[in-house]
């Protein structure tokens, strides 16, 4: 007579009787799986909104080495040898600080415009003495503070 001993039924700590048999609890708030439906899948935060170990951080935030390229780094793209700005526009090899200072100091000769490759405007400033200095002064200030000044190839000047 080989009788197997019966396994004791697990007890619920808050009740005196055995636990009711039924489907396992579904993941959700208050369950160790935690969070909204699908929160334990890869790429979703785990319980309490924190990422699970071994999972990437919150969606939308890049990690260096996983396809994320910091702005201003060389990407190997010949159209953007100095990378892209945060809006996705390619950076120029020219600096807006150099262009602005050249325009403020030698703007009556149009040197700042010649530097960034705008030869036509540079010639106009040369022949008008930089609009009697007023045009050159305003143009130099705009070059220093603007984020959308471009060179002759249409690339944004680096800061």
């Amino acid at each position: 007579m080989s009788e197997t001993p019966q396994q004791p039924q697990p007890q619920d700590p808050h009740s005196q009787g055995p636990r009711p048999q039924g489907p396992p609890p579904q993941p959700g708030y208050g369950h160790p799986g935690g969070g909204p439906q699908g929160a334990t899948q890869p790429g979703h935060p785990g319980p309490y909104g924190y990422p699970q170990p071994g999972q990437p951080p919150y969606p939308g935030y890049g990690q260096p080495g996983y396809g994320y390229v910091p702005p201003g780094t060389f990407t190997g793209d010949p159209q953007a040898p100095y990378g892209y700005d945060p809006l996705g526009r390619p950076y120029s090899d020219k600096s807006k600080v150099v262009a602005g200072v050249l325009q403020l100091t030698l703007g009556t000769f149009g040197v700042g415009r010649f530097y960034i490759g705008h030869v036509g405007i540079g010639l106009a400033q040369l022949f008008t003495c930089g609009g009697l200095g007023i045009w050159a002064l305003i143009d130099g200030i705009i070059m220093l503070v603007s984020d959308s000044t471009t060179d002759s190839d249409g690339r944004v000047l680096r800061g």
Side-chain angles (χ1 to χ4, degrees), residues 19-27 31:
R19 216 188 288 175
Q21 298 296 323
Q26 298 296 317
H31 183 268

Side-chain angles (χ1 to χ4, degrees), residues 6-22:
Q6 287 189 351
Q7 298 279 338
Q9 292 290 330
Q11 296 265 337
D12 189 11
H14 299 292
S15 69
Q16 299 297 329
R19 216 188 288 175
Q21 298 296 323

